[in-house]
Amino acid sequence: MITKFLPIMINVSAQFPELFLPAVDESFKGTQFMGRDMSMPKGLLKQLEVEGGRKSGNKMIMMSILAVLNRLSCVRSCRKYLRKEILPPLGKVTKRPEEETHLIKSKVVKLMTHIDNSISVLTSELLFNLCKHNVNRMIKYTGYGNSAGLFNRHGLLGMGGGGRRTEEDMSPDEDSDTEEYRTSVNDVDLVTAGPARENTALKNMTEAEKEVEANKLINLIDDMHRKGVIKPGSVGEDGRVKEMDIAEQIARVQIPEERGSSAEEEEEEDLKLDTNHFFPRKKPT
């Protein structure tokens, strides 16, 4: 029933999101949070869970729901309510967020990599709002792999730290972790936000065998590059991925013999490369 009013809700919520979150008193018997009626966001979440759980969910409905939720999340009480429902405090991490099928978080995180770009972008922006634009918190709940596209759009790749967070935006209890999570945090893979798994593929290999496999990988990447399947990239000063000019990188290599350097200089300066193009320096937060 709620889906019939989504077009109107999108327009109204853009200017007056509080209209969908009326103030209520303690005698109110519906869903309330911080003195406001949360029936609307609760209904939208339920419908999003239904559509997201289908193999071919209605894209227009999902986009509309996500658009409204993004706007409602600008209201502090609603943002806190949505975060409680979608991103509850973490305990011991035993699965990736997408695999926790009993939680609505699973379905929402899956939408971050939806084939429809609009759904993917809207979902990522919603979760980023719930994390108050804190990069580390976003990685903690969804994994770097799921969030990389979002960070690229916002110019936050390679940044680390707290993203756009300011101290006045952060309430004291908002980033608290459970004791269970704190004791297992070192066993969490930040790329997947799931449990870290030991890489056993190289465990029984000799150094010579590892070198052979490394050369295979280099040749495969080079072949894909030559065929135009992939393009090398690096993180620019703006925190976004940019195509890397291989010729320019090669030109940066300084060969001591051509400059007539001494043997001592050759040892110090041999094949210097601007590594900042491959490993960006961490920006100050």
Side-chain angles (χ1 to χ4, degrees):
M1 189 70 177
I2 198 171
T3 57
K4 294 181 180 180
F5 303 100
L6 281 174
I8 299 174
M9 292 170 64
I10 291 174
N11 294 326
V12 177
S13 62
Q15 298 295 326
F16 309 104
E18 292 89 353
L19 288 179
F20 299 101
L21 307 165
V24 294
D25 56 29
E26 294 181 359
S27 63
F28 181 70
K29 295 183 180 180
T31 303
Q32 63 169 305
F33 188 79
M34 293 179 65
R36 288 186 177 271
D37 180 6
M38 293 295 160
S39 301
M40 183 62 71
K42 180 181 180 180
L44 291 171
L45 272 182
K46 186 174 181 180
Q47 188 63 39
L48 181 64
E49 186 175 14
V50 170
E51 295 295 338
R54 294 173 179 168
K55 290 185 178 179
S56 56
N58 190 307
K59 293 181 182 179
M60 286 304 299
I61 291 178
M62 285 193 284
M63 281 191 287
S64 300
I65 291 174
L66 288 165
V68 175
L69 289 176
N70 264 285
R71 287 161 180 170
L72 294 183
S73 68
C74 295
V75 180
R76 184 169 179 265
S77 57
C78 188
R79 178 183 59 75
K80 284 178 171 287
Y81 170 77
L82 290 174
R83 185 180 171 194
K84 179 177 71 74
E85 295 296 315
I86 301 175
L87 302 176
L90 295 173
K92 183 176 176 61
V93 177
T94 57
K95 296 180 180 179
R96 293 168 58 179
E98 306 95 308
E99 297 171 342
E100 297 178 294
T101 53
H102 63 292
L103 300 175
I104 187 173
K105 177 175 72 172
S106 166
K107 296 181 177 64
V108 176
V109 171
K110 280 181 181 178
L111 294 179
M112 293 179 73
T113 53
H114 195 277
I115 191 171
D116 188 290
N117 188 59
S118 297
I119 292 176
S120 171
V121 169
L122 286 167
T123 304
S124 299
E125 292 294 340
L126 172 62
L127 293 176
F128 204 33
N129 285 343
L130 302 188
C131 292
K132 298 195 75 172
H133 288 196
N134 183 290
V135 173
N136 287 341
R137 189 183 295 158
M138 187 73 174
I139 292 173
K140 171 178 139 183
Y141 281 103
T142 68
Y144 190 86
N146 288 324
S147 305
L150 171 84
F151 295 154
N152 182 53
R153 288 193 300 274
H154 285 265
L156 296 172
L157 281 176
M159 187 171 179
R164 303 179 188 175
R165 176 188 57 174
T166 60
E167 289 301 321
E168 61 185 27
D169 286 335
M170 183 66 64
S171 56
D173 61 339
E174 199 151 10
D175 205 25
S176 59
D177 293 326
T178 63
E179 183 63 32
E180 201 174 15
Y181 178 78
R182 282 196 292 268
T183 57
S184 63
V185 66
N186 293 329
D187 298 323
V188 177
D189 184 347
L190 295 180
V191 175
T192 64
R197 291 182 171 85
E198 184 183 0
N199 187 355
T200 57
L202 304 177
K203 192 173 182 179
N204 299 320
M205 283 188 179
T206 64
E207 291 302 317
E209 289 174 330
K210 291 178 183 178
E211 187 173 346
V212 170
E213 292 301 319
N215 285 328
K216 285 181 182 178
L217 180 59
I218 292 171
N219 290 333
L220 178 61
I221 293 173
D222 180 62
D223 184 54
M224 293 173 72
H225 173 229
R226 291 176 186 277
K227 292 178 179 178
V229 178
I230 60 173
K231 293 181 180 180
S234 63
V235 179
E237 293 297 325
D238 60 354
R240 294 179 172 86
V241 174
K242 66 176 183 178
E243 188 175 349
M244 189 169 62
D245 189 337
I246 296 297
E248 179 185 341
Q249 286 300 308
I250 293 175
R252 290 176 182 271
V253 178
Q254 301 174 6
I255 304 178
E257 289 80 1
E258 293 183 356
R259 304 194 312 271
S261 303
S262 64
E264 191 175 293
E265 289 176 333
E266 289 180 13
E267 187 176 345
E268 292 178 358
E269 302 293 331
D270 186 33
L271 297 180
K272 269 197 171 180
L273 187 64
D274 183 3
T275 55
N276 190 48
H277 282 259
F278 299 98
F279 305 100
R281 294 176 183 174
K282 187 176 180 180
K283 294 185 180 180
T285 57

